[in-house]
């Protein structure tokens, strides 16, 4: 049975007929390919292209960096597929990132690390999300008392244990999801316009658990 990685590689070739697409990493070695694997590719394109169109899916979170010679896009699609693309030549065009893009990307990477049993790296990433969640709870406390200087506790101090509950053992991909949901709830309390969207993270976890050879 084909994997989603090999299927996406084929569809990218069709979507970018004027580009050279060279895969590397686990997609080139079935023995290494599992449900937590991403698709690693080098794209050489003579014309700018829309990354979402090339990947045939909505970007849920992403990172994009450039050193002048290459653009590196690390993408998490809303359906749980993940792609690391090094782009030479013309650039890949990206949508406006979501307001919590960095947290989304961090939790997706943490879920994958937890899935592979890399608990040290995964917990390091997750603790960063918990820290951001606590920042929003501290902002809520500041607003409640009208100052950032607290000589005594506020009613929000009672919520501190919830941060530890989100990262309680047993560790696993669900730990990353619990951290994201806590962050989303606490951010929404201080930023009413914010709406958490765990769909991409849940999809990453579901794909990982199903296995690399299931579409």
């Amino acid at each position: 049975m084909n994997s989603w990685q090999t299927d996406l590689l084929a569809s990218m070739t069709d979507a970018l007929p004027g580009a050279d697409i060279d895969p590397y990493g686990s997609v080139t070695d079935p023995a290494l390919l599992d449900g937590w694997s991403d698709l690693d590719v080098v794209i050489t394109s003579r014309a700018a292209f829309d990354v979402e169109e090339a990947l045939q899916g909505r970007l849920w979170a992403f990172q994009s960096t450039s050193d002048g010679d290459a653009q590196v896009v690390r993408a998490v699609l809303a359906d749980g597929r993940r792609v690391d693309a090094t782009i030479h030549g013309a650039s890949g065009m990206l949508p406006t990132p979501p307001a919590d893009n960095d947290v989304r990307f961090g939790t997706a990477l943490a879920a994958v690390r937890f899935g592979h049993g890399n608990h040290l790296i995964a917990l390091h990433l997750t603790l960063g999300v918990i820290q951001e969640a606590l920042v929003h709870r501290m902002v809520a406390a500041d607003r409640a008392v009208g100052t950032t200087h607290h000589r005594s506790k506020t009613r929000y101090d009672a919520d501190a244990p919830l941060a530890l509950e989100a990262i309680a053992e047993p560790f696993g991909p669900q730990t990353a999801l619990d951290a994201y949901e806590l962050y989303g709830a606490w951010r929404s309390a201080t930023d009413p316009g914010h709406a958490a969207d765990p769909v991409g993270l849940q999809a990453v976890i579901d794909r990982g658990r199903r296995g690399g050879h299931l579409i």
Side-chain angles (χ1 to χ4, degrees):
M1 181 182 294
N2 288 340
S3 67
W4 70 258
Q5 292 92 340
T6 56
D7 282 358
L8 179 55
L9 182 61
S11 65
M12 287 177 65
T13 301
D14 293 337
L16 299 172
D20 295 325
I21 302 176
D22 298 307
Y24 65 97
S26 57
V27 73
T28 64
D29 185 351
L32 299 177
L33 196 63
D34 65 17
W36 303 106
S37 300
D38 59 9
L39 172 62
D40 298 303
V41 293
V42 176
I43 301 172
T44 304
S45 179
R46 289 171 287 280
F49 62 92
D50 185 288
V51 172
E52 288 188 317
E53 290 182 3
L55 301 184
Q56 299 183 16
R58 177 175 68 86
L59 288 177
W60 180 75
F62 61 88
Q63 285 185 343
S64 178
T65 58
S66 178
D67 61 6
D69 294 324
Q71 177 188 10
V72 177
V73 175
R74 304 179 70 191
V76 182
L77 297 169
D79 62 9
R81 294 175 297 168
R82 297 181 305 111
V83 180
D84 278 9
T86 300
I87 304 169
H88 296 283
S91 61
M93 296 177 293
L94 295 160
T96 301
D100 60 351
N101 183 59
D102 290 345
V103 168
R104 291 186 186 192
F105 190 85
T107 52
L109 190 56
V112 170
R113 293 296 189 177
F114 276 126
H116 274 150
N118 304 135
H119 289 179
L120 285 176
I121 299 174
L123 188 58
H124 171 76
L125 292 164
T126 306
L127 286 173
V129 176
I130 293 297
Q131 184 177 25
E132 291 298 319
L134 287 167
V135 167
H136 284 283
R137 220 50 177 164
M138 290 188 290
V139 169
D142 293 345
R143 291 177 180 176
V145 299
T147 179
T148 59
H149 181 65
H150 304 279
R151 293 190 62 187
S152 58
K153 69 180 182 180
T154 72
R155 64 186 177 90
Y156 291 98
D157 286 284
D159 291 336
L162 297 176
L164 293 179
E165 290 178 13
I167 54 172
E169 293 184 282
F171 295 140
Q174 182 66 37
T175 308
L177 182 58
D178 290 344
Y180 178 75
E181 290 180 339
L182 182 70
Y183 167 85
W186 284 0
R187 177 168 179 174
S188 295
T190 57
D191 178 7
H194 177 72
D197 177 15
V199 63
L201 180 56
Q202 185 64 66
V204 167
I205 294 171
D206 290 344
R207 283 187 182 274
R209 288 173 172 166
R210 286 201 305 265
H213 296 283
L214 296 180
I215 306 304

